Amino acid sequence: NAGVTQTPKFRVLKTGQSMTLLCAQDMNHEYMYWYRQDPGMGLRLIHYSVGEGTTAKGEVPDGYNVSRLKKQNFLLGLESAAPSQTSVYFCASTGHPGEQYFGPGTRLTVT
Amino acid sequence: GEDVEQSLFLSVREGDSSVINCTYTDSSSTYLYWYKQEPGAGLQLLTYIFSNMDMKQDQRLTVLLNKKDKHLSLRIADTQTGDSAIYFCAEVGDNTDKLIFGTGTRLQVFP
């Protein structure tokens, strides 16, 4: 039982490049979330999903897209990376919105 | 809108008690949570309290809820160096699929 895994762990992008972050969970959870964490800002919700095939916008969705084609996977895409997207990205999943299980994070630097 | 506030830093001596405070605005919150984030890791659920409770104790952890003042606190007894981390309070209201996190309190424990 691996819990929540994130791929990759680290990435450096140049401005304008694109990439996809993968989140996978093996707990059969309905809800999945993508957050970004910046110093002094806490956690900010980017997008989330309440079930396979559904997505919804969070607090800071601009510049990101997501897909939930399979229940166990939640993908976060950056179509044209900007330096403002330098951050640590966390994925979480849960069967109940309050009790979330977090992945180890992806540290992204955009130069 | 919903808002959760915490002080940013707390420094305590090893063996003392730590008290981390949080205020929230959503009076419809049904559950309130405390999460812990150790360096370089994702968040882990530490404990939670249902809104009809005033207090919950779990080993060294005591959660106090003052619903009238919308104030939540986490007390850690006999604080150890391993308790050094960032602590986030969070709330989820009725009919919502999201957690609202505070900005986090960085607890530093010194010998």
Side-chain angles (χ1 to χ4, degrees), chain B residues 7-72:
Chain B
S7 53
L8 289 180
F9 297 102
L10 178 65
S11 184
V12 299
R13 188 180 299 276
E14 191 174 16
D16 288 351
S17 292
S18 309
V19 180
I20 302 170
N21 294 303
C22 171
T23 57
Y24 60 97
T25 57
D26 186 358
S27 59
S28 69
S29 294
T30 51
Y31 289 92
L32 294 126
Y33 300 83
W34 284 104
Y35 280 80
K36 177 183 180 183
Q37 184 182 29
E38 296 183 353
L43 280 68
Q44 282 184 295
L45 179 63
L46 203 54
T47 186
Y48 65 92
I49 188 166
F50 190 49
S51 60
N52 69 353
M53 298 170 66
D54 298 324
M55 185 181 84
K56 179 179 179 182
Q57 188 148 4
D58 184 2
Q59 298 182 332
R60 292 190 298 122
L61 304 179
T62 303
V63 179
L64 294 177
L65 175 60
N66 181 329
K67 201 171 179 184
K68 175 175 165 289
D69 294 338
K70 300 192 183 72
H71 183 264
L72 183 72

Side-chain angles (χ1 to χ4, degrees), chain B residues 48-110:
Chain B
Y48 65 92
I49 188 166
F50 190 49
S51 60
N52 69 353
M53 298 170 66
D54 298 324
M55 185 181 84
K56 179 179 179 182
Q57 188 148 4
D58 184 2
Q59 298 182 332
R60 292 190 298 122
L61 304 179
T62 303
V63 179
L64 294 177
L65 175 60
N66 181 329
K67 201 171 179 184
K68 175 175 165 289
D69 294 338
K70 300 192 183 72
H71 183 264
L72 183 72
S73 67
L74 174 70
R75 179 177 180 269
I76 305 173
D78 187 24
T79 312
Q80 302 298 308
T81 55
D83 295 322
S84 293
I86 303 175
Y87 291 81
F88 293 89
C89 67
E91 62 169 349
V92 59
D94 270 343
N95 299 319
T96 181
D97 301 317
K98 299 174 285 186
L99 264 181
I100 309 298
F101 285 94
T103 51
T105 299
R106 184 180 295 274
L107 174 65
Q108 182 177 13
V109 182
F110 58 93

Side-chain angles (χ1 to χ4, degrees), chain A residues 16-34:
Chain A
Q17 287 185 319
S18 63
M19 78 163 294
T20 300
L21 283 68
L22 170 65
C23 176
Q25 53 97 1
D26 61 3
M27 295 173 282
N28 201 35
H29 286 159
E30 291 293 337
Y31 299 85
M32 296 187 75
Y33 304 83
W34 275 108

Side-chain angles (χ1 to χ4, degrees), chain A residues 88-111:
Chain A
V88 181
Y89 291 85
F90 288 100
C91 174
S93 75
T94 186
H96 178 289
E99 299 171 31
Q100 295 185 13
Y101 293 78
F102 281 78
T106 295
R107 189 173 294 275
L108 175 66
T109 302
V110 183
T111 61

